Amino acid sequence: MSYTIEVRIELKKGVIDAEGETVKKSLNLLGYRIKDVNTVRIYAIKVEAGSENDAVEEINEACKRLLANPVIQNYSVTVK
Amino acid sequence: MSYTIEVRIELKKGVIDAEGETVKKSLNLLGYRIKDVNTVRIYAIKVEAGSENDAVEEINEACKRLLANPVIQNYSVTVK
């Protein structure tokens, strides 16, 4: 069966979010009172697996191997 | 008061998701049975506003002016 898994990847606390900073500055220049912007990357992945648990396990492994950088990023995996 | 608003920006149907395609190919090469990958960009924005409604309205306007490209992207705004 095929499952849709959402992987949410965000920077760890203390890591500078360059894109977020740029968005914040741009919005401030446009007159918005923005105090902070954090960017998050989501991958919505359709995966073929025997069960929901297998699908989550597989994507967790894929995060460790490819999708997330554990030095600077946190990730979470949810079934949709 | 300050509110945290999450803006979720994704590509419209029919628009090619180059990053998603690349991720899909890479995961397939690693042996995962991935059928599809869609990428979504989230901005978690802390904004100063008089009320929750004002904050949402302001960020909706910011999406139209700067954050989203209405030709190829859909966006949604939620309060966190």
Side-chain angles (χ1 to χ4, degrees):
Chain A
M1 252 192 82
S2 112
Y3 300 89
T4 301
I5 311 283
E6 240 184 50
V7 177
R8 187 185 166 105
I9 299 171
E10 45 202 318
L11 289 169
K12 286 186 175 169
K13 274 212 170 127
V15 179
I16 289 168
D17 185 339
E19 189 184 346
E21 277 302 309
T22 307
V23 170
K24 185 189 148 199
K25 275 183 202 156
S26 307
L27 289 173
N28 285 338
L29 283 172
L30 286 174
Y32 299 104
R33 290 166 299 166
I34 307 298
K35 292 172 107 181
D36 197 25
V37 178
N38 290 306
T39 56
V40 180
R41 165 62 68 196
I42 286 185
Y43 296 111
I45 302 175
K46 206 181 273 179
V47 58
E48 196 70 34
S51 72
E52 200 177 283
N53 271 354
D54 285 0
V56 170
E57 212 169 290
E58 205 159 299
I59 297 300
N60 255 315
E61 198 192 292
C63 284
K64 283 183 199 127
R65 288 178 71 186
L66 183 80
L67 298 175
N69 176 352
V71 178
I72 55 164
Q73 293 171 324
N74 286 326
Y75 71 88
S76 59
V77 173
T78 47
V79 182
K80 286 283 144 180
Chain B
M1 250 191 86
S2 111
Y3 299 89
T4 301
I5 312 282
E6 242 185 48
V7 177
R8 186 185 167 105
I9 298 171
E10 44 201 320
L11 288 169
K12 286 185 174 171
K13 274 213 168 127
V15 180
I16 290 168
D17 186 341
E19 189 183 346
E21 276 303 308
T22 308
V23 170
K24 184 190 151 198
K25 274 184 201 154
S26 307
L27 289 173
N28 285 339
L29 282 171
L30 286 174
Y32 299 102
R33 289 167 299 164
I34 307 298
K35 294 173 107 182
D36 197 24
V37 178
N38 290 307
T39 55
V40 181
R41 164 64 69 194
I42 286 184
Y43 297 111
I45 302 175
K46 205 182 273 177
V47 57
E48 195 70 33
S51 72
E52 201 176 282
N53 272 354
D54 285 0
V56 170
E57 212 169 289
E58 204 159 301
I59 297 301
N60 254 314
E61 197 193 292
C63 285
K64 285 184 198 126
R65 288 179 70 186
L66 184 81
L67 298 175
N69 177 352
V71 178
I72 57 166
Q73 293 171 326
N74 287 324
Y75 71 89
S76 58
V77 173
T78 47
V79 182
K80 286 283 145 179

